[in-house]
Amino acid sequence: RDLQQGYCDAAIVATCNQTFDPASIAKMVATVSPSQNGKPFTEGSDGHTYGEAVVSMLLAKTKGLFTIENVVTKQCSVMLPEGMPDTDAMIEAMRDTIGTLPVKDIGYVELHGTGTQVGDMTEIEAVAKVYDAVFLGCSKGSYGNVFEANTLLEILKVYYIIKNSIV
């Protein structure tokens, strides 16, 4: 907001995920892929792999580099009361995020990628109901689940995809 309102010309945004607490590590082990090889969106997906990351970016007021036209934050539970993913909640969140932007103008969607059969299929079904033909990506297959650092890591990944005209 300070950049948007002109209070500053640059800001550093940073996050990290490092776990030093043995109790936290023990909790994570219960959801980790038995094969220790996270494979989101594949038939062999059996959970996630754990990763650690330190991610930072410099945001600066500069013309012509990269523009974010509209930012919508929507918090919702995408889980039904039974603990199963809710496709309708995901569809609503996606539609609210794109707002009035024509769906045909979206060529890439970065997905969460739970690494589970149920979670991944729910995401694919929601994307198929909202978007036309798009490229899909998921960082977790490359980096593991870096928890608190996932969002910033995925934003940087998408930035480089756009900057380098990969999609």
Side-chain angles (χ1 to χ4, degrees):
R1 286 189 183 159
D2 286 350
L3 280 171
Q4 289 175 324
Q5 296 173 356
Y7 295 123
C8 64
D9 292 328
I12 295 174
V13 180
T15 187
C16 74
N17 180 61
Q18 294 179 309
T19 305
F20 302 104
D21 175 36
S24 296
I25 293 170
K27 286 179 191 175
M28 288 183 273
V29 169
T31 60
V32 169
S33 162
S35 67
Q36 292 294 304
N37 187 10
K39 301 173 229 133
F41 307 105
T42 65
E43 286 186 31
S45 60
D46 60 357
H48 71 268
T49 54
Y50 176 74
E52 293 190 341
V54 177
V55 185
S56 65
M57 70 169 64
L58 173 68
L59 301 178
K61 282 185 162 182
T62 306
K63 299 244 181 227
L65 288 179
F66 185 73
T67 303
I68 297 174
E69 298 294 333
N70 187 23
V71 176
V72 175
T73 302
K74 179 167 180 69
Q75 287 185 314
C76 69
S77 172
V78 295
M79 303 295 277
L80 295 170
E82 301 82 33
M84 297 299 291
D86 184 354
T87 306
D88 292 334
M90 289 182 189
I91 290 169
E92 181 182 346
M94 289 180 201
R95 288 187 175 144
D96 287 351
T97 300
I98 61 175
T100 59
L101 184 68
V103 173
K104 66 177 179 54
D105 290 350
I106 297 171
Y108 180 84
V109 177
E110 180 74 12
L111 298 171
H112 176 69
T114 64
T116 65
Q117 293 290 315
V118 174
D120 290 350
M121 287 310 302
T122 301
E123 280 190 271
I124 295 292
E125 288 173 19
V127 167
K129 290 180 180 176
V130 175
Y131 298 100
D132 293 334
V134 294
F135 287 97
L136 301 175
C138 173
S139 299
K140 288 190 184 90
S142 301
Y143 308 110
N145 190 346
V146 293
F147 300 95
E148 293 85 359
N150 278 334
T151 302
L152 196 54
L153 181 66
E154 290 162 353
I155 289 169
L156 285 173
K157 176 186 168 190
V158 172
Y159 168 77
Y160 282 108
I161 287 170
I162 293 169
K163 179 181 177 190
N164 295 302
S165 302
I166 295 170
V167 173

